Amino acid sequence: MTTTGKRGTALAALVTAAVIGAPALSAHAVSGKPETDTGHAFTARLDIGAGTKACSAVLVAPQWLATAASCFADDPAASVRIPAGAPKLKTTATIGRTDLTTTAGVVRNVVQLVPRDDRDLVLARLSAPVTDVGLPGVSATAPAKDATVSVTGYGRTKDEWAPLKLHGESFQVDQVNATDFAVHGTSGAAICAGDSGAPVFTSAGLLGIASRSDQGGCFGTDAAQTSTNGVVTRTDDIAGWVKSTVESAPFADFNGDGVEDTAVGDPKATVGTDTEAGAVHVVYGGGKGTAQLDQSLDSVPGDAEAGDRFGYALATVDYNKDGYTDLAVSSPYEDAGSIADVGMVSVIYGSPAGLGKGRASDNYAQGEGNGSLKEAGKEKGDLLGYSIAAGVTRDNEPYVVIGDPGEDVGSVTDAGSVVYVHGATNVFLSQDAGLPGSPEAGDRVGTSVAADMTNIVVGEPGEDIGDKADAGGVAVLTHNLGLNLKPILRAGLDQDSDKISGSAEKGDAFGQSVAIIPKGTNSDSIIAVGAPGEGIVGSDGTTNVANAGAVYTIDFPAKSEWTQLRVIHQDQPDVVGGIETGDRFGETVAAINLAPGKSSPSWADTQLAVGVPGESQGSTAGAGSVQTFSLLTAPGDHNDVLYAGFNKVPGTPGANQHMGQVIGLSPTQIYIGMPNGPQAGGSVYEVPWSNVTSYTTNAAADGNVTVLRPGTGGIPSGGKAFGSAVR
């Protein structure tokens, strides 16, 4: 900020306060005094396009900034309208570093833009949360005329083109309009180039962000220009929109256009003449078309071969933190030369043109790459990639967790293991190296895996507990690495634990499925564990219904001991359905926090979907169903069921369709994979969350279910098991 004494130019003549052509290290600041108050460390500095532009911003939530949309506009003088999605130019944000000569604070990539079309404002999602920086809060009250407000930014000063410290100054409000308000510098200070997006605030919180100004007295401005008039984009009147946006869960966006995309696995698809080579079908949202990924393409590692089953498991993650969602795809039955079913996992990168159209894919296979994978031997039936999970840790480190349940540990066959890929290397985890217990034949560690930003969950459904064969167990680890560079073990869970209800029994398969969500913003988690082989004693107190199944939910705090939350099954008060032999409730589980930005999510935000593939509908055996629950209430308080012909799910129940074998969850819908029919070749049902009472108190289903299937909507015909995996 500069200090001049006069105000002159009309507001209509104000220019954007973004720096054009700024060098990468030129973090400029409002022309006032250097900031010594670390309480203003919420002010961020943006580098857009490796020095193409520089702006300021404000941290409004741990993973979100607010700034000026004009910073990202091609020609802000003509229009500040910008598209949603990944930024066109690579953008980094420096947060918590008020003195750029230090290493304080953090640097994050900006990976998603959510603009407001009615004003010069955009919310920018960061690649990972920022902790230990106080937030200003967003005021819901407009400033009064003549009120004094503060502005802090990284723009030019009176005599510095590229200052290295955050600057701040006071301004006076002149006039409040519908979407902005006018200010001038109370002591001649001005909003300068590089200050676009700078926070404008009082002790009551954020009022808006700097948009444009006359820049009188700023370095490089004509000396005849003395006006310190400026315009601030209001945030107070849209505080609710800001709150809902920053609390919302991200969705898969492979082409970065701000519209949700879907990937569907068909691992039995024929590619060329190779049966069950497998394929993944990508449906781009907003009518942007479809694409098929398979190993016959140059962009996909490996070769299409009969029986590979590419697309068996899927996971989404922005693996290179560029704003485009990437897709991890497994082919667990991939052969390695003459060795059958060794397995492989590929990460296919998103780009403006979609998956596989930009950066070359990464590949994870035994005997290849680096780390423990490079040293591992290939063995028949390893099934690397039988399960996969992927994400980014709270330390901004991307990871992939790969289940390898057929791995032999020493001479112990099918003991199983997990490969944890983190950063540039990877490690194996097994029951003689990082996981609890001892390797036993048929433990099948890694049959299921799940992870959030804090913890990793590994299912061991074949684990024997005492003399109870296949009773099952679960291991929980943290992403923090120990001295051996492996994730640190936090707990081993099984039904012989005093903290888990019931007791271990033969064939319970505790850990056949696992899921995990962040409970809030403080690194706590909630874990769900499926035990589909669990026998349930009926309400008569004597009959044990075999393989009825149950799901256990675990509260897993970051800094205290875990506790069981609940046991969920179909013989509980107000829970839909009833226990039947062979229901296998919990064969699959999926969970999502629909508002991970809330410090304390509500019951409707924390959703659990449970697959019941053995469920009979009337006299139709094996028709299956999906049941939904809130993870924060008693099972019967908020639960619902999805099956053919109910809650707008199409069709009628069919024998052995096993609805519930495949479930995926997104912020907008429940994906139900139907590879066994009724549609020939398989299908996927996209059910809006509004259709289930686990999400809303409205008992009336009010959303149409979309059906994805081969031969329609641009998806090629000829599917074999379309819907075997969906993300």
Side-chain angles (χ1 to χ4, degrees):
M1 297 170 196
T2 63
T3 53
T4 62
K6 300 179 181 179
R7 301 169 55 209
T9 309
L11 292 180
L14 301 183
V15 296
T16 180
V19 168
I20 309 298
L25 296 179
S26 62
H28 316 279
V30 183
S31 64
K33 304 179 294 292
E35 283 286 309
T36 57
D37 184 356
T38 57
H40 297 162
F42 50 69
T43 310
R45 185 259 182 185
L46 298 180
D47 179 355
I48 303 170
T52 302
K53 296 181 182 180
C55 280
S56 300
V58 54
L59 192 70
V60 292
Q63 205 165 346
W64 288 86
L65 301 172
T67 189
S70 53
C71 293
F72 298 92
D74 292 335
D75 183 2
S79 175
V80 298
R81 295 286 294 271
I82 61 172
K88 182 178 179 181
L89 301 175
K90 181 178 180 180
T91 302
T92 59
T94 303
I95 307 133
R97 189 176 301 171
T98 58
D99 182 343
L100 295 172
T101 64
T102 72
T103 58
V106 296
V107 178
R108 294 280 191 261
N109 287 346
V110 172
V111 295
Q112 180 189 7
L113 301 177
V114 181
R116 284 283 301 199
D117 290 339
D118 63 342
R119 64 194 69 191
D120 184 16
L121 178 73
V122 63
L123 296 179
R125 184 167 64 89
L126 302 171
S127 54
V130 176
T131 58
D132 301 324
V133 172
L135 303 176
V138 180
S139 173
T141 304
K145 186 179 183 304
D146 297 327
T148 299
V149 298
S150 298
V151 184
T152 52
Y154 288 98
R156 299 178 188 176
T157 65
K158 178 179 180 180
D159 51 11
E160 290 180 289
W161 188 75
L164 295 173
K165 294 183 178 180
L166 176 70
H167 283 60
E169 194 52 89
S170 296
F171 287 74
Q172 184 174 330
V173 177
D174 296 323
Q175 178 179 323
V176 179
N177 304 309
T179 61
D180 57 36
F181 60 90
V183 298
H184 72 276
T186 56
S187 57
I191 296 169
C192 296
D195 288 328
S196 277
V200 182
F201 56 94
T202 65
S203 59
L206 183 72
L207 301 169
I209 55 98
S211 173
R212 56 199 188 276
S213 73
D214 283 335
Q215 302 186 34
C218 297
F219 185 85
T221 301
D222 190 328
Q225 173 60 280
T226 58
S227 170
T228 62
N229 289 353
V231 172
V232 176
T233 298
R234 288 176 62 182
T235 54
D236 63 278
D237 62 316
I238 55 170
W241 174 80
V242 172
K243 183 175 187 292
S244 64
T245 301
V246 303
E247 289 177 349
S248 64
F251 50 77
D253 185 5
F254 303 124
N255 57 358
D257 63 353
V259 182
E260 185 172 357
D261 302 324
T262 306
V264 180
D266 185 349
K268 294 186 178 181
T270 298
V271 178
T273 60
D274 296 310
T275 59
E276 298 194 10
V280 174
H281 298 276
V282 184
V283 180
Y284 293 106
K288 299 290 179 64
T290 65
Q292 178 171 314
L293 301 173
D294 61 62
Q295 291 179 299
S296 72
L297 303 175
D298 291 340
S299 59
V300 178
D303 298 308
E305 299 167 315
D308 282 350
R309 298 195 185 182
F310 177 83
Y312 187 90
L314 305 174
T316 55
V317 55
D318 185 359
Y319 203 52
N320 58 343
K321 297 175 286 187
D322 64 350
Y324 301 91
T325 305
D326 309 314
L327 184 68
V329 185
S330 77
S331 46
Y333 296 90
E334 180 88 18
D335 296 346
S338 62
I339 307 174
D341 303 339
V342 175
M344 185 172 77
V345 170
S346 301
V347 176
I348 302 172
Y349 289 91
S351 73
L355 285 168
K357 302 294 185 181
R359 171 176 167 172
S361 301
D362 285 329
N363 194 48
Y364 300 107
Q366 296 181 89
E368 299 180 15
N370 63 3
S372 297
L373 276 171
K374 176 66 174 178
E375 301 168 1
K378 301 177 175 68
E379 298 168 323
K380 180 180 178 181
D382 281 344
L383 301 183
L384 183 76
Y386 189 88
S387 61
I388 49 177
V392 178
T393 71
R394 292 189 179 276
D395 292 328
N396 205 27
E397 184 86 355
Y399 65 82
V400 180
V401 184
I402 305 173
D404 190 22
E407 177 78 13
D408 297 344
V409 177
S411 61
V412 182
T413 60
D414 295 340
S417 67
V418 167
V419 179
Y420 180 63
V421 182
H422 62 104
T425 189
N426 55 81
V427 293
F428 270 86
L429 301 170
S430 63
Q431 289 181 303
D432 66 348
L435 300 180
S438 301
E440 299 168 316
D443 280 351
R444 299 189 67 78
V445 169
T447 295
S448 60
V449 294
D452 65 3
M453 300 184 83
T454 306
N455 297 305
I456 306 157
V457 187
V458 178
E460 308 163 355
E463 175 78 9
D464 297 346
I465 304 297
D467 61 351
K468 308 300 190 299
D470 301 333
V474 166
V476 184
L477 308 97
T478 175
H479 289 291
N480 296 329
L481 304 183
L483 295 177
N484 58 1
L485 299 182
K486 294 185 176 184
I488 297 171
L489 178 68
R490 292 203 59 195
L493 314 177
D494 63 65
Q495 289 181 282
D496 265 5
S497 166
D498 293 340
K499 297 166 70 174
I500 299 289
S501 298
S503 58
E505 299 168 313
K506 179 181 179 180
D508 280 347
F510 182 86
Q512 179 69 34
S513 60
V514 293
I516 185 171
I517 63 167
K519 187 177 180 181
T521 57
N522 60 354
S523 301
D524 295 346
S525 302
I526 302 176
I527 295 169
V529 180
E534 181 80 16
I536 303 296
V537 176
S539 54
D540 61 7
T542 59
T543 304
N544 190 331
V545 181
N547 294 311
V551 171
Y552 296 77
T553 59
I554 313 294
D555 185 17
F556 215 89
K559 297 181 180 179
S560 58
E561 286 297 311
W562 61 272
T563 57
Q564 178 179 291
L565 284 171
R566 292 169 185 87
V567 182
I568 306 172
H569 56 74
Q570 291 180 301
D571 195 48
Q572 292 173 309
D574 300 319
V575 172
V576 178
I579 52 173
E580 299 167 319
T581 300
D583 278 349
R584 294 192 68 80
F585 180 94
E587 183 78 32
T588 53
V589 292
I592 188 171
N593 185 341
L594 295 167
K598 284 185 180 179
S599 57
S600 298
S602 71
W603 66 264
D605 298 323
T606 55
Q607 290 292 309
L608 172 69
V610 178
V612 198
E615 180 85 14
S616 297
Q617 300 296 346
S619 61
T620 305
S625 66
V626 173
Q627 292 194 228
T628 61
F629 303 86
S630 168
L631 281 162
L632 292 180
T633 65
D637 288 352
H638 302 284
N639 79 108
D640 211 334
V641 64
L642 297 165
Y643 59 84
F646 188 73
N647 274 337
K648 292 196 174 181
V649 177
T652 57
N656 299 318
Q657 289 178 359
H658 299 301
M659 179 184 287
Q661 274 188 337
V662 181
I663 309 171
L665 304 180
S666 87
T668 61
Q669 56 210 351
I670 305 164
Y671 294 113
I672 302 176
M674 298 291 292
N676 303 310
Q679 287 85 5
S683 61
V684 169
Y685 299 154
E686 298 180 335
V687 183
W689 279 111
S690 57
N691 286 32
V692 294
T693 55
S694 63
Y695 170 74
T696 174
T697 55
N698 176 14
D702 59 2
N704 291 323
V705 174
T706 300
V707 180
L708 306 178
R709 61 188 178 93
T712 64
I715 301 170
S717 58
K720 300 297 183 181
F722 182 93
S724 293
V726 59
R727 289 293 182 271

